[in-house]
Amino acid sequence: MNFHIEYEQETDGRWLAEVPGIPGVLAYGTTANEAMAKAEILALRVLAERIESE
């Protein structure tokens, strides 16, 4: 599954990644790749919880 992930570097050096299509899915990492990977994992968890609660 592919997600549209937006990411940017914060002033403190951390990277923030967000999946705009899924509210609340954002994650920090020490690198852009780490932040994006964490955001993708969180997005999958959120979608799985939605499916389970239906």
Side-chain angles (χ1 to χ4, degrees):
M1 182 171 239
N2 293 319
F3 298 103
H4 171 74
I5 300 175
E6 296 178 0
Y7 61 96
E8 64 183 291
Q9 191 169 24
E10 299 285 302
T11 56
D12 63 2
R14 296 181 300 167
W15 286 86
L16 173 65
E18 176 182 14
V19 178
I22 307 174
V25 175
L26 48 104
Y28 283 98
T30 56
T31 65
N33 286 337
E34 179 184 10
M36 288 188 289
K38 288 180 177 182
E40 186 173 3
I41 291 167
L42 181 56
L44 290 170
R45 287 181 180 162
V46 168
L47 292 175
E49 287 178 13
R50 288 182 186 175
I51 291 169
E52 288 177 358
S53 67
E54 289 183 356

